[in-house]
Amino acid sequence: MRKYGRFLIVLVVFVSMNVWSDVKSKQEIKNEAIAKAPHISTQQLSGYLSAEENFFLLDVRTEEEYLAGHIQGAQWFPRGKLEYYIQERIKDPDSKIVLYCRTGGRSALATLTLKVMGYTNVVDLGGGFKEWVAEGNTFYNLHGENRVVSYQKME
């Protein structure tokens, strides 16, 4: 019984000292990735698309998100499969790759992962799909081309 009492005292001391404070929250990890990953703006991506540059545009969201709406020419490549299958899809590590997700967290993490894997020309779309749509750019789904239009009711 004394053994358990000592263990509990040690446990309480560790907890009160916040020994496990080195564990980062998902928000901290996301923010660090966004800060570290190289980004391009939605305007830069528009330029890539209109110039018909040779690059890979990967949507790392879920399949449901992709089907609901994606940027023209984007290939669906879920974040959870990236490390396992990217080398089958993109063999040249110097290929230009643009990644995006909804707001930029998952794609920033994916960008850093590809950098660690040896891909040299990888960027994240700053602000993600949400910013792309908010700026009035078109997106595609099973209904074809779409654009979100902001309006104010005239009185």
Side-chain angles (χ1 to χ4, degrees):
M1 190 66 168
R2 291 179 91 184
K3 212 169 23 173
Y4 293 113
R6 286 183 191 163
F7 173 75
L8 286 175
I9 291 171
V10 170
L11 182 62
V12 168
V13 169
F14 277 145
V15 169
S16 66
M17 290 174 54
N18 211 4
V19 170
W20 293 289
S21 66
D22 290 341
V23 175
K24 293 181 182 177
S25 71
K26 64 182 176 184
Q27 189 63 42
E28 289 172 315
I29 292 169
K30 178 182 132 180
N31 290 343
E32 283 181 15
I34 290 171
K36 288 179 184 176
H39 303 284
I40 62 167
S41 67
T42 56
Q43 293 82 14
Q44 287 172 298
L45 178 57
S46 289
Y48 289 3
L49 292 169
S50 63
E52 297 181 12
E53 281 200 41
N54 188 20
F55 71 101
F56 291 92
L57 179 59
L58 302 181
D59 185 325
V60 297
R61 299 174 301 158
T62 66
E63 184 175 20
E64 292 79 17
E65 289 173 299
Y66 176 82
L67 293 174
H70 56 272
I71 299 171
Q72 183 178 19
Q75 300 173 42
W76 174 59
F77 207 109
R79 170 72 186 98
K81 305 280 184 181
L82 195 67
E83 295 88 339
Y84 299 101
Y85 301 107
I86 193 68
Q87 292 171 333
E88 293 172 16
R89 172 106 31 108
I90 304 175
K91 299 188 182 327
D92 180 2
D94 297 322
S95 297
K96 183 183 279 189
I97 305 169
V98 178
L99 302 166
Y100 74 90
C101 64
R102 189 173 76 83
T103 60
R106 289 174 283 179
S107 55
L109 289 164
T111 298
L112 295 177
T113 297
L114 290 182
K115 291 255 182 214
V116 167
M117 291 178 71
Y119 288 90
T120 60
N121 197 4
V122 185
V123 293
D124 172 46
L125 176 62
F129 185 72
K130 188 174 179 179
E131 188 166 322
W132 176 263
V133 171
E135 290 186 4
N137 294 298
T138 58
F139 63 95
Y140 295 80
N141 61 22
L142 63 95
H143 301 292
E145 183 176 313
N146 299 277
R147 182 184 309 256
V148 173
V149 178
S150 297
Y151 68 94
Q152 291 182 327
K153 187 175 181 178
M154 302 292 284
E155 293 190 42

